[in-house]
C-alpha cells in the first residue's frame, strides 16, 4: 500500500519550530495525560493502545468464494460468501468470523441452516454438529447497504455530474470484513474466487484468472475470477467501471492497464514500464513473477496512492501523467514499481501479523530505490534513498520515535508511517551494505523462495540471511528494527603536518554514557572512512580521485583515531558508500570541505559537505556552493546546493540562485525557485514573478514559483501584494488542469498572505462543493494556515466553515479538515477536532485529529509576545544580510 504524496503532506504539515520555544514553560501544556515528551517527541502510543495478537485458529481456511450482485444506484450488494475450512481439531462447535455492518441472512453447512448471532462486529456461528476430520463448507448469505468502508461506490452527483461510475475495494488493513464475512487477519492464506453481476456496460476486474464473462439477461453481465494461489483476505479485490483496457505483455503473461476511457495515452505513459519492471524484480528477487496476469486499475477517488491486491493492483487515477507531466514522472514510476514489488513482498510472501508489515513496506519502498538506480543510475538511487532517510528522520525528530516492529497500537493502520516505509527501506539498504550486492541478492532469493505462499515474521528474514550467507545480522535488527532511533554522529577531522598524522574523532551524540547498556542508545557499527587524493593538474576540471579506505569500529560515545599517512589528503570521507542510516555533522576545515564538495565521488558525501559548508557561512562557502550549483554533473547535488545557498543570507547567494533558475533540469530550477524566495528583494521577486507569469515546462516548477510569491510580499515588498493577488486570481481562472497542481500553487500562495483578508476569502470560495477535488482539498487545508494572521471575526468564520466541512464523510476531506484545524492558533479548533475524533469511524482520521489537538495546544503557547519577537528577529536578519553583503563587497574591493 502506498499513501498519495498529498496525504503524506497533510499528515505531517511542516512543523514550525520557534527558536525561542524551549525557554517558554507555556509550550509544555499537558492537555493530554499521555503527553509525555522526550526531546520534544510525543509517544507513538495514544491512549487506548494495547498489544495485538492474531486470534486462535479454529482451522485453516482453504477457499473463499464470493458470489455477489451489485445494485449500483442503491449503493448496495447482496450474495453468498462460501468458506471452506479445514478444522485444526475435531469437536469445535463454535466459529467466530469478522463481519462489520453486514446483514447476515443465513448460515448453512451443506443444506443445513445453522444458528448464528451477529453484533455488527462479529458473526458467531453455533455449529449443530461439531467439527470432525473433514473440511466443512460454510455458506453465508448476506447483503450490505451503503458500506462505510471496504467497498466504495463512486458516481456522479449534483455537484460532480461528470464523475465516472465505479466500484472498488480497499481491504488493507482490516477492512475486508466490511464487505464480506471472513477470518480477517493476514495469518490465514486461502485461494479465492469472485463471481459478480454488474450492469452490462461495466467491466469487473479481480484477482487471478478470468474464468468467464457472460451476459446475464438483457442488462447484466457476470464476471467470474479465480485466484488459484493462496493469499490473505486483505488482498481480495474487486474493481468495476467503464474502463479502457490497454494490453501489454511480459514473458507471455498478460499485463493490462485499466483507465477511464479517453485517458489511454496517459495510461501507457504512466504504466508502460511495467514489463521492464517485472523483468527487473523477477531477477532481483530470484523468483519469476508468480501470478497468471498483472492488472493495474486506475480508479477515481481512491483513498491511497496504490494497493497491491494480488495480481490486481489498484492505483489512484491521479498518478496518470499527461504529456507535460511526464517531465515530472518520478512519483508515478515509484508508485508503479512499489505496488509491483508487493506482488512478491506482501502477496507471495505474506506477513503473519501487521507488526511485521515493515518487511513488505520496507522492501516495496526499497524497490523504488533499486528501480531508480537501475533506470537512472547509481547517483539517482543514492539520492532517492537519502530522501527516504530524511523523511524518516523528520518523523523521528518532530513526531515520535518507535521500534519498527511493535504490536502496541489502537489500530493497525497507525503503523503505516515513515518508520514502516522509509526507515524500513533504509534497513534493507544497510543489510545490502554489510553483505555486499551479491550476497544481498542471494539472501533475498533465499528469503523469497523459502517462504513463497507462506507467512513470515521478522525472524524469518534474519534466518534466511544466515542460511544464505552465514552472516548473523541479529545485532543490526536489534538496534534498528526492534528498538527506535539511529546514531547521530559528530565527526571532526584534522591534519597534523609536522607528524603527517590525520586525526579523526567520532562522537555518538545520542549516546547516554551514564546509562546501562539496555538504555544507553549506543550503536556498535563498522563504518568505512576514506582519505581522498586528487591527481592531475589543479584547476583542470577533471581531476582524478583516489581513495585510501579504512574501517572503523564505532562502539563508544567518543573515539579518536590517528592515521600516519604519506602525504596530506585533499579531503576526508566518513561512511564511504553511505549505507548506514544516521545523521552526521561534519567538523572539517573549510578547505577540506570545499575539496570534498568538488571531488568526492559519492554525491551523498558531497551533500554532507555542502551542508557543513553552509553552516560555516561567509563568502568562501557561498562561492563554493555557487560553483556546485553551476557545475556539479549530478542534478541532486545541484538541488542541494540551491537549498544550502538559501540559508546563506548574502546577496551573492541570491545571485547564484537566480543563475540556477536557468538549469536544464526542472528539479534544480524548482529548488532555485524555493531557495530564492528566502531573499525578499526586488530582484528575486522580479525573477520569480516572471516564471509564475510566463510559466515553466514543468508543472511543479511553475507551481513553486506561483506558491512562493505569497510569502514574499510582506515587509519591504508589501506594496506588491495587490499585484500578487491579481496574479493568483488569474491563475485560478485560467490554469485549471493536470491534478490542479498550478491552481493549488496559487491557493498555497494565498495561504501565506496571512494578514490579507481577501486571501482568506478567495481560499474559502474554492472549498465549495463542485470545485475539482484536488483543488478543493488544497483550499480546505489552506484555510488553517491563512487563519493565523486574520482578525478574530475572520478566524471565527473560518472555524465555522471547517466545522461544516468536518461533517462530510469522505476520508480525504476529513483528513484535510483535521490538517487545517491543526494549523490554527485558536482554542475553537480543539473542540471541532475532538468532535471529529469522537465521531469518525476511521482510525486514521482519529489519529490525525488527536495529534492535531496537540499541535493546536502547542500553537496556543506561542503567544503574541513571541510573535512580535519573531517579527523583530526577521527584520534584524534582513538588515544583517544587507550589511554583510555590503561588507563582503567592500572586502572584495580592498
Ligand atoms: Zn506498500
Amino acid at each position: 500500500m502506498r499513501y498519495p504524496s498529498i496525504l503524506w503532506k497533510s499528515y505531517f504539515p511542516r512543523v514550525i519550530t520557534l527558536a525561542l520555544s524551549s525557554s517558554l514553560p507555556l509550550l509544555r501544556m499537558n492537555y493530554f495525560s499521555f503527553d509525555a515528551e522526550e526531546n520534544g517527541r510525543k509517544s507513538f502510543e495514544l491512549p487506548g493502545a494495547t498489544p495485538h495478537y492474531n486470534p486462535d485458529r479454529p482451522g485453516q481456511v482453504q477457499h473463499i468464494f464470493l458470489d455477489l450482485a451489485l445494485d449500483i444506484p442503491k449503493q448496495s450488494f447482496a450474495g453468498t460468501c462460501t468458506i471452506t475450512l479445514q478444522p485444526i481439531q475435531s469437536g469445535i462447535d463454535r466459529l467466530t468470523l469478522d463481519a462489520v455492518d453486514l446483514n447476515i441472512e443465513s448460515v448453512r453447512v451443506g443444506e443445513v441452516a445453522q444458528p448464528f448471532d451477529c453484533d455488527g462486529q462479529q458473526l458467531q456461528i453455533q455449529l449443530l454438529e461439531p467439527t470432525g476430520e473433514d473440511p466443512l463448507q460454510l455458506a453465508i448469505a448476506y447483503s450490505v447497504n451503503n458500506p462505510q468502508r471496504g467497498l466504495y461506490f463512486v458516481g456522479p452527483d449534483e455537484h460532480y455530474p461528470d464523475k465516472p461510475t465505479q466500484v472498488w475495494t480497499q481491504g488493507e488493513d482490516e477492512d475486508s470484513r466490511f464487505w464480506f464475512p471472513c477470518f480477517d487477519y493476514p495469518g490465514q492464506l486461502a485461494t479465492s474466487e469472485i463471481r459478480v453481476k454488474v450492469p452490462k456496460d461495466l467491466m469487473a476486474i479481480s484477482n487471478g484468472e478470468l474464468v468467464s464473462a457472460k451476459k446475464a439477461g438483457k442488462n447484466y453481465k457476470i464476471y467470474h475470477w479465480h485466484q488459484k494461489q493462496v493469499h490473505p483476505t486483505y488482498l481480495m479485490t474487486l474493481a468495476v467501471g467503464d474502463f479502457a483496457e490497454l494490453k501489454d505483455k511480459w514473458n507471455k503473461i498478460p499485463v493490462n492497464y485499466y483507465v477511464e476511457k479517453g485517458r489511454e495515452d496517459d495510461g501507457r505513459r504512466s504504466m508502460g514500464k511495467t514489463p521492464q519492471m517485472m523483468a527487473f524484480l523477477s531477477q532481483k528477487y530470484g523468483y519469476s513473477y508468480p501470478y497468471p496476469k498483472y492488472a493495474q486499475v486506475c480508479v477515481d477517488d481512491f483513498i491511497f496512492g496504490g494497493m497491491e491486491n494480488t495480481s490486481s493492483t489498484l492505483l489512484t487515477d491521479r498518478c496518470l501523467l499527461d504529456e507535460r507531466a511526464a517531465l515530472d514522472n518520478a512519483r508515478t514510476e515509484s508508485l508503479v514499481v512499489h505496488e509491483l514489488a508487493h506482488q512478491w513482498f506482501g502477496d507471495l510472501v505474506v506477513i503473519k501479523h501487521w507488526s511485521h508489515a515493515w518487511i513488505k513496506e520496507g522492501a516495496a519502498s526499497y524497490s523504488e530505490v533499486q528501480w531508480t538506480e537501475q533506470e537512472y543510475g547509481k547517483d539517482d538511487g543514492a539520492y532517492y534513498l537519502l530522501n527516504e532517510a530524511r523523511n524518516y528522520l523528520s518523523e523521528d525528530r518532530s513526531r515520535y520515535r518507535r521500534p519498527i516492529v511493535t504490536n502496541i497500537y489502537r489500530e493497525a493502520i497507525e503503523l503505516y508511517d515513515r518508520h514502516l516505509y522509509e526507515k524500513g527501506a533504509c534497513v534493507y539498504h544497510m543489510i545490502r551494505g554489510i553483505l555486499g550486492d551479491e550476497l544481498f541478492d542471494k539472501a533475498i532469493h533465499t528469503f523469497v523462495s523459502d517462504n513463497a505462499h507462506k507467512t513470515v515474521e521478522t525472524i524469518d528474514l534474519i534466518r534466511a540471511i544466515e542460511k544464505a550467507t552465514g552472516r548473523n545480522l541479529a545485532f543490526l535488527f536489534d538496534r534498528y528494527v526492534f528498538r527506535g532511533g539511529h546514531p547521530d554522529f559528530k565527526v571532526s577531522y584534522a591534519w597534523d603536518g609536522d607528524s603527517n598524522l590525520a586525526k579523526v574523532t567520532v562522537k555518538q551524540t545520542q549516546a547516554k554514557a551514564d546509562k546501562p547498556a539496555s538504555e544507553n542508545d549506543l550503536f556498535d557499527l563498522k563504518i568505512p572512512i576514506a582519505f581522498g587524493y586528487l591527481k592531475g593538474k589543479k584547476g583542470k576540471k577533471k581531476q582524478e580521485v583516489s581513495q585510501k579506505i579504512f574501517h572503523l569500529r564505532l562502539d563508544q560515545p567518543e573515539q579518536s583515531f590517528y592515521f600516519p599517512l604519506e602525504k596530506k589528503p585533499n579531503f576526508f570521507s566518513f561512511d564511504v558508500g553511505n549505507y548506514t542510516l544516521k545523521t552526521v555533522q561534519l567538523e572539517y576545515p573549510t578547505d577540506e570541505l570545499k575539496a570534498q564538495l568538488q571531488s568526492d565521488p559519492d554525491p551523498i558525501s558531497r551533500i554532507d559537505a555542502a551542508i557543513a559548508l553552509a553552516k560555516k557561512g561567509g563568502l568562501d562557502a557561498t562561492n563554493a556552493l555557487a560553483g556546485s550549483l553551476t557545475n556539479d554533473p549530478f542534478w541532486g547535488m545541484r538541488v542541494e546546493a540551491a537549498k544550502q545557498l538559501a540559508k546563506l543570507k548574502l546577496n551573492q547567494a541570491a545571485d547564484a540562485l537566480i543563475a540556477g533558475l536557468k538549469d536544464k533540469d526542472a528539479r534544480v530550477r524548482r529548488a532555485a525557485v524555493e531557495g530564492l524566495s528566502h531573499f525578499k528583494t526586488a530582484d528575486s521577486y522580479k525573477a520569480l514573478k516572471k516564471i509564475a507569469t510566463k510559466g515553466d515546462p514543468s508543472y511543479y516548477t511553475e507551481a513553486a514559483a506561483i506558491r512562493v510569491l505569497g510569502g514574499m510580499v510582506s515587509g519591504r515588498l508589501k506594496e506588491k501584494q495587490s499585484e500578487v493577488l491579481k496574479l493568483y486570481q488569474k491563475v485560478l481562472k485560467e490554469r485549471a488542469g493536470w491534478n490542479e497542481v498550478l491552481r493549488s500553487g496559487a491557493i498555497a500562495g494565498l495561504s501565506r498572505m496571512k494578514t490579507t483578508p481577501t486571501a482568506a476569502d478567495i481560499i474559502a470560495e474554492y472549498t465549495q462543493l463542485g470545485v475539482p477535488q484536488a483543488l478543493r482539498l488544497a483550499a480546505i487545508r489552506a484555510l488553517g494556515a491563512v487563519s493565523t494572521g486574520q482578525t478574530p471575526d475572520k478566524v471565527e468564520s473560518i472555524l465555522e466553515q471547517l466545522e461544516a466541512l468536518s461533517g462530510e464523510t469522505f476520508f480525504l476531506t476529513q483528513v484535510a479538515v483535521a490538517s487545517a484545524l491543526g494549523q490554527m492558533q485558536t482554542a475553537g479548533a480543539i473542540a471541532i477536532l475532538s468532535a471529529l475524533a469522537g465521531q469518525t469511524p476511521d482510525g486514521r482520521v482519529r489519529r490525525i485529529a488527536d495529534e492535531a489537538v496537540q499541535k493546536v495546544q502547542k500553537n496556543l503557547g506561542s503567544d503574541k509576545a513571541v510573535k512580535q519577537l519573531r517579527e523583530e528577529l526577521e527584520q534584524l536578519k534582513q538588515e544583517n544580510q544587507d550589511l554583510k553583503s555590503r561588507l563582503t563587497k567592500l572586502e572584495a574591493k580592498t
Side-chain angles (χ1 to χ4, degrees), residues 289-317:
Y289 177 79
Y291 302 109
K293 66 125 200 291
Y294 187 53
Q296 290 170 90
V297 192
C298 296
V299 295
D300 204 275
D301 272 0
F302 198 49
I303 53 175
F304 293 117
M307 179 62 213
E308 69 271 19
N309 305 302
T310 316
S311 78
S312 290
T313 284
L314 301 195
L315 300 170
T316 166
D317 60 1

Side-chain angles (χ1 to χ4, degrees), residues 831-845:
I832 306 174
L833 282 165
S834 305
L836 181 61
Q839 284 158 16
T840 182
D842 198 302
R844 295 156 291 192
V845 175

Side-chain angles (χ1 to χ4, degrees), residues 1-2 338 342 361 421:
M1 177 159 63
R2 202 169 206 312
H338 179 108
H342 275 314
E361 293 305 344
Y421 287 75

Side-chain angles (χ1 to χ4, degrees), residues 143-162:
S143 66
V144 182
N145 298 317
N146 291 306
Q148 292 306 298
R149 298 169 70 165
L151 185 143
Y152 298 77
F153 289 93
V154 174
D157 61 18
E158 48 171 332
H159 304 293
Y160 299 93
D162 298 328

Side-chain angles (χ1 to χ4, degrees), residues 529-533 546-550 564-566 572-573 576:
I529 56 135
F531 299 99
Y533 293 93
S546 68
Q547 283 180 298
K548 207 170 165 58
I549 297 180
F550 297 88
L565 297 170
E566 274 174 25
F572 171 70
S573 314
V576 179

Side-chain angles (χ1 to χ4, degrees), residues 712-759:
M712 293 180 76
V713 289
S714 58
R716 231 183 290 172
L717 291 172
K718 206 169 172 143
E719 82 276 8
K720 303 282 186 195
Q721 266 189 16
S722 60
E723 198 175 283
V724 170
L725 272 179
K726 238 184 244 162
L727 173 72
Y728 282 165
Q729 278 162 316
K730 203 167 140 68
V731 170
L732 285 166
K733 224 164 140 192
E734 294 170 1
R735 293 193 221 174
W738 187 71
N739 282 350
E740 297 296 348
V741 169
L742 298 176
R743 295 208 286 175
S744 299
I747 292 290
L750 284 164
S751 79
R752 295 174 182 198
M753 301 174 78
K754 297 178 197 297
T755 53
T756 317
T758 329

Side-chain angles (χ1 to χ4, degrees), residues 542-598:
K542 286 247 165 169
Q543 273 184 299
E544 235 179 86
V545 177
S546 68
Q547 283 180 298
K548 207 170 165 58
I549 297 180
F550 297 88
H551 291 265
L552 305 183
R553 176 161 181 200
L554 300 176
D555 61 352
Q556 297 298 320
E558 180 169 349
Q559 287 163 282
S560 288
F561 304 87
Y562 297 87
F563 301 86
L565 297 170
E566 274 174 25
K567 62 174 185 166
K568 186 185 179 195
N570 295 87
F571 62 92
F572 171 70
S573 314
F574 180 73
D575 193 14
V576 179
N578 284 293
Y579 279 101
T580 308
L581 175 60
K582 64 187 184 292
T583 68
V584 65
Q585 213 180 316
L586 307 183
E587 299 195 326
Y588 309 167
T590 303
D591 278 348
E592 274 76 359
L593 286 175
K594 276 162 61 186
Q596 184 172 25
L597 175 66
Q598 222 171 27

